[in-house]
Every structure is written in structure tokens, then in C-alpha cells.
Amino acid sequence: MKVLFITFMLIQSVFLQAEDGHDLWLRAKSTSPLNVICLKKSPTIGIALQELEKGWQGKDGAKIVLVLKNNKEIRNDGFKISPDGIQANTDLGILYGVYELLRCQQTGEPVEEMICNPSYGARVLDHWDNPDGSIERGYAGRSIFWRQGENSLAVTQNDKTLWKEYARANASIGINGAVLNNVNASPLILSKEYMERVKVIAEVLRPYGIKTYLSVKFSSPSLIGGLKTSDPLSADVIKWWKDKVQEIYSMIPDFGGFLVKASSEGQPGPQDYGRTHADGANMLADALKPFGGIVMWRAFVYSPTDLDRAKQAYTEFMPLDGQFRDNVIIQVKNGPVDFQPREPFSPLFGAMKKTSVMPEFQITQEYLGQAIHLVFLATMWEECLKSETYQEGEGSTVAHCTDGSIYPRKYTAIAGVSNIGLDINWCGHPFAQANWYAFGRLAWNNSLTSEKIADEWIKLTFSQVPSGQALFTLFSTEWTEHFLLPVRQMMLQSRDAAINYMMPLGFHHLFSANEHYGPGPWWAPARVRPDWTPPYYHKADTNGVGFDRTYSGSDAVSQYHEPLGSQFNELKTCPDRYLLWFHHLPWDYKMKSGRILWDEICYNYETGLQQVREFQKTWDKVEAYVDTARFTLVQSKLRTQCRDAQVWKDACLLYFQKFSHMPVPYDIEQPVYDLNYLIENDMKRR
Ligand code: GCW
């Protein structure tokens, strides 16, 4: 049955008010009273009632019933939504149902009677926040949880207000967990002083259903516990962790568990003691088990060996399948290398059949223009989630291999590396908020489309508070045609554009230095290990370009289930988007388009640049529909993005041209920069 809540917005006209973006997608204000009936009382239900009051856009005086009832079709914190109200098994389910109802009203969508269950049990934000308040790969100011200096651990009212706003934003999109500190973890986090603060944060997050997790350093027992070793099989070490876990639960009874980066990029781990990842993860899992806690153990491991970096996680983890406790979840980045603009999915998805595996996405745009470029990441995550692994035949997508539908698991989870900081608008770029939003929505429902998510986000973020003089009517045909559709189109194309001007056709890791912002295909100082430099990945020489990962190359293709392995291996069937990821090809290789590879590379870079120019035009045209503050901020960021796209195109084409010795096709714009200028300038910046 479909019931339409006629929204007041449909008939109201608007007046543009300057906005700083702090309210995110939660800007709607109710103008009409309603009558809510709910027999249960709890802090979470209290929030649900407040939200209804604050955001209600339905009929004046409507009656809404919130019911807690055991319904077998509803799982975990899912809910059933219907015209007269919401039914759930838990208080949190009620709150999620309320947010869904309000979202429908505020986006002008009909409320359909349906049951909504979450795709993953744990939907977690990972904060790479350090105890001194800095954020690894953070581009939106300093940490909201930690700060430097005297009294840095004292909790202020401002802290609490911000944490509450943070919790509310997360709950509104279904996120139910937060790892409060960097995976490159300081052992300090487990000290008494820090734990006191963690306890307060957990208390603020709790009513919103957000569980608190911590990243832990594997060598904590020796670093802060005074033990001689951190060997996971040592009785003292086992006891130390057990005691520590007990202490944590005495302070935070619903503590979620640990996130661990071990034996990776210089972090200590079980291998330092001749033990395996399973030994390390299981030891922590055993300590957490009595309290219902989990271990999210990262598979992001690689070392400077001769083995292709893209193969290392699989090589190390596959032999351990079946050895992990059921409360260990292996956290796997979407691709086999490292959050590049485009990678094929990690072959570990679906392959570890006896182990819980969770996807890790990066919301913060480390490799995608940081808080400067407009890049909507839902399309990247959708591409990964919908990738066929073929592990159990057709339909065994990454989504279904991880959400418990193909391999039933006690715990399922998904994580996103957060992009928020103290910036007034949380994310630096107004459109980066869409990535936070998209992560939550996909974690809740991994079959949502990017288009639907973009649609919702635009309506929630750029609809204006009705008041004053009429400028235009929200959700009218005019608003839809002149604002919603072009902006949505821009968002949906934005990641492709970034791939085109940065790393088309399977190129990856062409960044200069460790900053991961600008181009540096030439960047390879002798002091830096080869697998941290672009030439390791592009392998350009006069014969050609690309990383040979075929059967006769590094053989990474064999890590994919058939028919995928041979599809990637064969030039005929390897998709263009992964071509140079899997193949080293001559510059005059004939592409499916009929062009030679070199020309195709040039056209791709050119296309990317032109796409950003189009984004500028699109945005300029919507000025009448956006408040000045957000309009000008986005406009100026697009300008920088456009200049950067030019730099990317010129740097890559001029550099690769030294090997191809071919002209940039004459019908496209010739580079405007000089390669030496770009190299020198780039060097000067660091
Ligand atoms: O993407 C890389 C980053 C590191 C990060 C690491 C990881 C937290 O460059 O800054 O460290 O991955 O995911 O562990």
C-alpha cells in the first residue's frame, strides 16, 4: 500500500538563507504539530520523539504510533514503516524508522509500507585521529575527539554538544559504530587518562545507538604494560589483554571492540614474535568474547618484497581461512592496493569462505582530491559492492559475499574511513558531506543506487528553509530541471571525471610523494622504497606502459575466481578500465575504440579536464538555487579543481610522452604547462 504524506514543502516557496553547512542533511524544520503515541520510555525513544517534533513535514495534527513488538521479519535494529507509524524490536529500530519517515517527507517521496533491515550488523566509521588532535589523511580540520595542550583531556560542554551532533548525524543514516582513534594507534589510548575521556564520549554516543570502538597497538603490553614481550601466545600477554578488556567493559559496558593494524607499514604485530595474524587476532578475540566484543583485523598488509604489492594481502590471509574465531572480522580495503581512484575489487572478497570479511571504504578523499575536488564516492562503492566475484556463481557480488546472505556469519560489518573534522561544515567541501551520507546509506542498504543516494542528499542539503519572499518552489518541475537534475548529473559523473584526469585506463598510484594530492609519475627518490613510488606501478618505458599482472606476469589475475581470472588475463576481455592495471602494453597497442593506446590515454586525460570545466558551468548556472555562502565556496573549489585537472593532464601526458615519443593528438588541447616547470614546482612544495 502506498500512502502519500503530502509535504508542505511541495507547495511552499523559499527564501535563500546563508548557511555554513553545519546542519548537514538535517536542516528541515517542522511547522506543523503532530500527535505521537508511544508507551516505551528511554533515552533513544526520547530522541525519536524529539526528531519527529523537530522535523515533521506531514499533516497537521497527524497521529503516529511507535510500537516495540517482537516481529520475526524485522532483524536487529530494522523496522517496519507504515502510514500510521513505526514498529521495531529495539528502541534503536524505532529511531531509525523515524529518520526514514522524516527522510521520505523531506525529500517528497511517498512513504511505502515496508520492512527495512540493515545489510550489515556493524556499520562503522573509522577515525584516523591521533591523541594530539591531528588526523592522518584528514582534510577538514583537527579531530573532534582529541586535542593538544594543557587540559587536553578535560571534557567541555562544547565537546559534548559537538559529539552529540556527530552522533545524531550518524544515527540519521544508520551508522552504529565509531572507532575513535587512528589505526596507526598510539598505545596511550588504553591509558587511564584517555580511557576516562573515551568513557564520556561513549556516553554521549550511546543513546544514538553508536557503539564505541578503539584502535589498539599490538605491542601495548610491552609499551604501556611493562611486559617484556607482546607475543600473543605468552600467558602474561594474554592476561594483560584480558585485564585490559575487563577494565574497558567496567567503564563502557557496551564497548564494541578493537580495530587492529598489525604487521603493516611498520606497525608491530604477531609476526614480530613468529606468530600468525590468526594467533594475534584470536588472542584479542578471546579476551573480548565474554563481553560480546569483536576484533576488526585489517588485511592491509604488504612489505617491500619482490611479490607484487597487489597480491600480498591475499597471499598472506588465504592460508589462514578457517583459523579465525567467529568474533574476528577481517577488514579488507575495497581494492588490492590502496584506495586508488579506481581498482578492481580485492580478491579476498568471497574467497575467504570460512571467515567474516568486511569491506573498508575510504570516505576521506586521500587519493581523490582531498577536500578540494568535488568527487562523489557512492559510484565507486557501488561499483565495488556490485562486482561479481563468481565465488558461488553469478550473483555472488562483493556485497552478498560480505553481508551474510551467501555465507551466514555471526558478525557482519562494513567500515568507512571518516572525512570529518572541526571545520564548521564538518567535511571541508560541502559536497564531501555527500560521501559521509552515502557511506551510511550504503552500509544500511548495500543495494541502493548512487543515483538514489545523490537525489536524497541534494534534496535534504539544498532545499531551503521556507520563509519570506518567493524565489522558486521546491521540488517543482522548475527546481528539478534546473537544479536537482544537473547537480545530480555532476555528482554522478564526478568520480569518472577524477579517474579521467588523474588515472584513466587502469593507471594507479601516480601521485607525487606521500601527500597523495598532485601528479608525480616521475617521483622516485632513491631513499624511498620502490613500492611507494609511481614507476613501480606504471612501469613506463619506450616499449610501453602498465603493470603486467597476467599469468606470465605477476600472476595477480590468478587470485580472482574463474571466469574473472582469465577475463582479466585476456586482452580481448579485460575491461578498458582495468587495462593498465593488468597489462603492460606497447604505446601503439590497438584499443577496442580503434585508437592506439597513446592516443586513448591522451583523450582520457582531455575528457577529464573538459568534464571539470562542464562542472564549473553547471554550478554557475544553479546560483539562483543555492545560498551565497555555499555557492561561492563550491565555485572557488571547482576553480582549483579545474586548474589541478589541467596540471594532472599535462604532467602525465608530458611525462609519458618522453617514453611514447608520440604527439598529443592535434584535435585536443595541447598541454599548457612545461614538464620541467611542473616537476620543479612540485619538488618545491615539499
Ligand atoms: O592509505 C594509506 C595511507 C596511510 C594509512 C594506511 C592504512 C593510516 O596513506 O596514511 O595509514 O593507508 O590504511 O593503514
Side-chain angles (χ1 to χ4, degrees):
M1 175 169 62
K2 278 194 177 179
V3 173
L4 204 80
F5 279 94
I6 312 259
T7 75
F8 274 71
M9 282 181 168
L10 283 172
I11 46 162
Q12 267 171 347
S13 303
V14 298
F15 179 73
L16 299 174
Q17 274 176 3
E19 295 198 35
D20 59 17
H22 193 70
D23 291 339
L24 296 160
W25 47 85
L26 294 161
R27 303 155 48 259
K29 292 193 179 60
S30 175
T31 43
S32 43
L34 84 163
N35 186 6
V36 188
I37 297 169
C38 181
L39 297 180
K40 174 91 189 276
K41 272 199 182 141
S42 75
T44 304
I45 296 287
I47 294 168
L49 299 181
Q50 264 174 30
E51 293 290 7
L52 279 171
E53 236 167 71
K54 262 196 270 188
W56 183 255
Q57 310 284 316
K59 275 197 214 134
D60 241 339
K63 188 170 112 187
I64 283 289
V65 188
L66 308 179
V67 191
L68 276 143
K69 185 167 166 182
N70 245 342
N71 179 335
K72 290 220 173 66
E73 286 174 304
I74 302 175
R75 282 186 283 112
N76 307 319
D77 296 318
F79 55 85
K80 182 173 175 185
I81 187 165
S82 73
D84 340 300
I86 292 145
Q87 217 187 78
N89 297 338
T90 63
D91 296 6
L92 190 54
I94 296 283
L95 180 60
Y96 288 152
V98 164
Y99 283 123
E100 176 68 22
L101 177 60
L102 294 175
R103 177 166 35 247
C104 289
Q105 292 184 346
Q106 293 163 11
T107 56
E109 273 179 41
V111 178
E112 293 183 33
E113 177 166 321
M114 60 180 168
I115 290 182
C116 298
N117 287 317
S119 297
Y120 296 95
R123 305 172 295 277
V124 183
L125 277 192
D126 290 357
H127 292 270
W128 286 356
D129 297 16
N130 299 310
D132 68 359
S134 61
I135 304 182
E136 182 151 354
R137 311 302 178 184
Y139 312 103
R142 295 178 69 83
S143 171
I144 66 164
F145 299 117
W146 314 104
R147 63 174 160 259
Q148 215 166 17
E150 245 178 275
N151 288 330
S152 62
L153 292 172
V155 175
T156 66
Q157 194 46 50
N158 282 351
D159 287 334
K160 285 194 179 173
T161 306
L162 197 63
W163 297 339
K164 193 169 154 183
E165 290 168 347
Y166 161 84
R168 174 178 181 231
N170 278 333
S172 76
I173 48 176
I175 289 171
N176 69 354
V179 182
L180 303 185
N181 63 318
N182 192 354
V183 285
N184 289 328
S186 159
L188 270 185
I189 198 74
L190 293 176
S191 67
K192 191 106 193 70
E193 298 79 5
Y194 278 87
M195 280 307 304
E196 284 298 340
R197 190 173 173 90
V198 173
K199 177 176 190 269
V200 183
I201 299 173
E203 280 159 7
V204 178
L205 305 191
R206 184 169 299 124
Y208 288 89
I210 318 283
K211 276 194 183 189
T212 297
Y213 299 76
L214 291 175
S215 293
V216 294
K217 199 173 193 81
F218 198 76
S219 53
S220 296
S222 18
L223 291 176
I224 57 164
L227 301 191
K228 286 208 185 65
T229 176
S230 294
D231 180 350
L233 300 193
S234 136
D236 290 344
V237 171
I238 294 172
K239 179 167 186 315
W240 189 87
W241 280 109
K242 277 209 162 129
D243 292 347
K244 185 48 83 181
V245 165
Q246 194 141 30
E247 181 191 325
I248 296 176
Y249 278 92
S250 71
M251 300 171 82
I252 307 164
D254 58 348
F255 181 69
F258 294 144
L259 170 62
V260 192
K261 171 175 177 178
S263 302
S264 160
E265 292 189 331
Q267 291 298 322
Q271 292 170 347
D272 301 344
Y273 311 94
R275 314 297 182 194
T276 67
H277 285 286
D279 294 330
N282 290 343
M283 180 270 295
L284 294 174
D286 288 342
L288 288 158
K289 180 122 193 164
F291 306 94
I294 61 169
V295 175
M296 296 174 284
W297 189 272
R298 295 176 91 226
F300 179 66
V301 295
Y302 66 99
S303 41
T305 61
D306 286 343
L307 188 66
D308 172 5
R309 174 170 165 189
K311 288 181 69 177
Q312 294 190 29
Y314 183 100
T315 308
E316 224 172 296
F317 276 84
M318 275 309 284
L320 301 174
D321 190 23
Q323 295 183 27
F324 293 97
R325 302 284 191 265
D326 66 359
N327 60 334
V328 173
I329 314 186
I330 303 302
Q331 182 165 312
V332 178
K333 290 188 181 183
N334 57 284
V337 170
D338 189 11
F339 298 138
Q340 294 303 293
R342 173 169 271 144
E343 297 188 34
F345 68 87
S346 161
L348 277 170
F349 293 119
M352 294 189 84
K353 301 197 190 308
K354 298 182 218 132
T355 309
S356 282
V357 172
M358 62 188 282
E360 176 180 334
F361 294 146
Q362 194 180 42
I363 311 172
T364 190
Q365 292 165 239
E366 173 180 357
Y367 294 102
L368 279 141
Q370 302 175 4
I372 295 173
H373 295 196
L374 189 161
V375 184
F376 181 50
L377 298 175
T379 48
M380 163 146 100
W381 304 329
E382 186 183 354
E383 179 177 293
C384 172
L385 289 166
K386 294 191 175 153
S387 292
E388 277 287 357
T389 70
Y390 293 102
Q391 289 288 347
E392 305 293 332
E394 297 255 341
S396 30
T397 57
V398 169
H400 293 143
C401 288
T402 52
D403 65 9
S405 53
I406 293 185
Y407 308 114
R409 307 278 188 229
K410 184 158 181 207
Y411 296 99
T412 58
I414 186 165
V417 180
S418 165
N419 62 348
I420 71 150
L422 282 175
D423 275 8
I424 188 72
N425 69 6
W426 301 89
C427 303
H429 196 306
F431 277 79
Q433 296 180 350
N435 292 330
W436 181 7
Y437 183 85
F439 171 75
R441 297 291 285 135
L442 280 171
W444 178 272
N445 179 351
N446 61 14
S447 65
L448 281 183
T449 63
S450 306
E451 188 176 314
K452 161 98 167 82
I453 297 171
D455 210 270
E456 287 176 10
W457 179 80
I458 295 169
K459 287 174 176 167
L460 297 169
T461 307
F462 289 108
S463 62
Q464 303 294 326
V465 181
S467 74
Q469 188 196 346
L471 279 180
F472 52 86
T473 306
L474 273 178
F475 305 155
S476 62
T477 318
E478 190 224 322
W479 186 83
T480 305
E481 271 175 22
H482 296 287
F483 183 72
L484 176 69
L485 296 182
V487 172
R488 189 177 77 189
Q489 178 77 349
M490 169 173 78
M491 288 172 75
L492 293 175
Q493 284 179 358
S494 59
R495 184 230 174 187
D496 261 334
I499 293 171
N500 288 334
Y501 64 74
M502 285 182 177
M503 282 166 244
L505 300 169
F507 272 130
H508 49 294
H509 233 306
L510 300 185
F511 297 94
S512 171
N514 186 35
E515 179 178 276
H516 300 162
Y517 183 75
W522 52 81
W523 190 78
R527 67 188 151 81
V528 179
R529 47 191 258 203
D531 59 347
W532 283 348
T533 69
Y536 173 92
Y537 299 95
H538 64 64
K539 305 225 184 295
D541 55 26
T542 46
N543 297 324
V545 66
F547 200 127
D548 183 359
R549 296 191 164 111
T550 63
Y551 299 145
S552 51
S554 84
D555 195 30
V557 290
S558 292
Q559 294 184 339
Y560 290 92
H561 198 281
E562 281 304 307
L564 218 47
S566 24
Q567 239 174 57
F568 291 152
N569 185 67
E570 300 301 322
L571 279 169
K572 276 198 312 290
T573 45
C574 182
D576 279 358
R577 61 182 184 279
Y578 301 136
L579 197 64
L580 302 175
W581 182 282
F582 288 115
H583 297 270
H584 186 82
L585 296 169
W587 296 103
D588 62 357
Y589 169 77
K590 197 75 182 279
M591 302 284 296
K592 293 185 192 98
S593 65
R595 292 184 185 131
I596 59 164
L597 173 61
W598 166 253
D599 287 355
E600 191 77 29
I601 291 173
C602 295
Y603 282 106
N604 271 272
Y605 277 103
E606 173 66 6
T607 303
L609 173 59
Q610 295 306 336
Q611 282 174 298
V612 184
R613 297 217 172 121
E614 286 305 313
F615 296 165
Q616 286 189 291
K617 292 182 204 160
T618 301
W619 190 249
D620 283 347
K621 274 192 250 169
V622 302
E623 182 168 3
Y625 301 90
V626 188
D627 57 284
T628 318
R630 290 186 296 174
F631 177 77
T632 47
L633 182 57
V634 172
Q635 190 184 46
S636 83
K637 283 183 186 278
L638 278 171
R639 215 173 274 149
T640 313
Q641 181 174 359
C642 198
R643 283 199 299 267
D644 289 347
Q646 178 86 59
V647 168
W648 268 98
K649 171 190 156 191
D650 291 6
C652 293
L653 293 189
L654 292 171
Y655 170 77
F656 289 127
Q657 193 174 41
K658 293 203 309 182
F659 303 99
S660 78
H661 301 297
M662 291 178 177
V664 172
Y666 297 110
D667 59 333
I668 67 175
E669 264 183 33
Q670 296 299 300
V672 297
Y673 287 103
D674 180 83
L675 182 59
N676 287 334
Y677 168 83
L678 290 174
I679 296 177
E680 276 163 30
N681 230 14
D682 173 69
M683 291 322 217
K684 266 191 230 132
R685 266 196 280 139
R686 53 207 93 255

